[in-house]
Amino acid sequence: MEDDGVITSIPQVKVTVERPVPPGLQDTLGNAGLPRATIAASREKPEGTERRHIRDRTVLQQHVDFFDEDRDRVIRPFDTIKGLRKLGFNFILSILFTIAIHSGFAYPSQDNWVPFFGNPFFKIYTDRIFKCKHGNDTESFDTEGRFVPEKFEEIFSKFDREEKEGLSFSDIVRMINVNYNIFDYFGYFSSWVEWIGVYLLCAENGIVSKERVRGIYDGSLFYQISEEEESKKSRHRTSGFINDAKRSLGFKNKYS
């Protein structure tokens, strides 16, 4: 297979055929391998998320800023629990995800080499979140927290088998196993935690759409889902109030 005169796969090496690179990105993304510092660009959204232009935060910082509600650039375990609850996760899952996230990423982000006494409350410092990049990932984030569109597009060219513009759970499992780096057990575990969270949060009819995954990368989807969850709760509270009012006034449901 060739893309603009460049050979990208050869029949003699089957894996290069089974996992094709995304063709024709230059038509919409120009230099797709050039990392973007502030936007999560894709073939469909070359300018990133509409009306979201954060010029002083990298895409990786934007990815976690939802959990830093007071914008002090520190994410405490309670902040993560609160954020996950706002996204609709139950209390038990929120606790488990928080333990996994903060036990793995608190130490790398701190500005102190002492493992425990330097950060006894397992805070994550977003100014140094780039230090938390781990192996066994998609490489859509580079080591400085910038977003690499070409690597993001490869997620779907390689693992979206039916060209459904999204990933099934089996696609995700295959991706995690394919991306495994030798002896990188922490990265392997981290990828499982992250992608299980993505699937639980984003899957619709068993598929995590490409656009929703992109929204996870720049954090914009977190705000959208949080607003949707709050709207559901508000409607539920309103409905409950109306039903209580009807009962107090003696109205009965016609089916009662």
Side-chain angles (χ1 to χ4, degrees):
M1 180 178 175
E2 294 188 14
D3 181 23
D4 199 24
V6 177
I7 297 174
T8 60
S9 64
I10 51 178
Q12 295 86 345
V13 183
K14 189 177 179 181
V15 70
T16 65
V17 179
E18 292 175 344
R19 305 175 201 164
V21 298
L25 294 182
Q26 65 275 9
D27 296 338
T28 54
L29 287 166
N31 185 353
L34 185 67
R36 273 62 164 176
T38 61
I39 64 169
S42 67
R43 192 196 300 267
E44 294 78 16
K45 294 287 184 70
E47 301 301 323
T49 302
E50 295 176 9
R51 299 183 299 279
R52 184 177 174 85
H53 302 287
I54 302 173
R55 299 302 181 188
D56 61 345
R57 303 288 282 170
T58 67
V59 180
L60 182 54
Q61 288 174 323
Q62 295 174 44
H63 171 68
V64 300
D65 277 345
F66 170 80
F67 299 93
D68 180 19
E69 194 170 28
D70 59 5
R71 293 295 182 264
D72 64 353
R73 305 193 176 190
V74 179
I75 301 174
R76 298 162 182 82
F78 178 75
D79 295 330
T80 302
I81 293 172
K82 185 178 179 181
L84 290 171
R85 295 287 288 140
K86 289 172 69 175
L87 294 174
F89 288 101
N90 65 42
F91 185 71
I92 299 299
L93 274 178
S94 297
I95 291 289
L96 293 176
F97 277 127
T98 297
I99 291 172
I101 292 166
H102 282 262
S103 61
F105 299 138
Y107 173 60
S109 73
Q110 72 182 47
D111 191 21
N112 190 309
W113 65 272
V114 182
F116 181 76
F117 294 105
N119 187 8
F121 299 108
F122 292 91
K123 301 173 184 176
I124 294 174
Y125 296 86
T126 63
D127 282 345
R128 292 179 292 279
I129 195 68
F130 64 91
K131 292 185 177 182
C132 296
K133 186 182 185 303
H134 56 78
N136 206 93
D137 65 346
T138 64
E139 298 184 358
S140 296
F141 288 125
D142 69 7
T143 51
E144 292 71 41
R146 294 172 293 225
F147 185 83
V148 187
E150 183 177 32
K151 289 298 182 181
F152 174 75
E153 293 292 337
E154 283 183 11
I155 295 173
F156 301 93
S157 69
K158 290 182 177 181
F159 305 110
D160 176 11
R161 299 183 183 184
E162 296 85 15
E163 298 184 1
K164 54 191 174 294
E165 290 298 308
L167 301 175
S168 65
F169 189 75
S170 61
D171 293 332
I172 291 172
V173 171
R174 178 168 165 257
M175 176 179 65
I176 292 172
N177 289 325
V178 163
N179 287 340
Y180 175 69
N181 297 323
I182 189 169
F183 302 130
D184 184 13
Y185 306 117
F186 174 78
Y188 187 67
F189 173 76
S190 297
S191 291
W192 272 108
V193 171
E194 291 165 358
W195 281 98
I196 286 175
V198 169
Y199 186 82
L200 291 175
L201 184 65
C202 300
E204 296 177 334
N205 300 317
I207 303 298
V208 180
S209 73
K210 180 181 179 182
E211 177 56 22
R212 286 174 80 83
V213 174
R214 194 195 64 79
I216 289 283
Y217 273 99
D218 72 359
S220 60
L221 187 66
F222 294 143
Y223 297 95
Q224 178 185 330
I225 292 177
S226 177
E227 290 173 2
E228 292 170 356
E229 287 295 318
E230 183 57 35
S231 178
K232 289 178 186 176
K233 291 177 182 177
S234 178
R235 289 198 299 270
H236 180 73
R237 286 193 296 265
T238 301
S239 175
F241 174 79
I242 292 173
N243 289 334
D244 289 343
K246 285 182 176 179
R247 283 193 293 270
S248 68
L249 293 172
F251 288 99
K252 293 184 178 180
N253 189 299
K254 64 180 180 180
Y255 300 109
S256 60

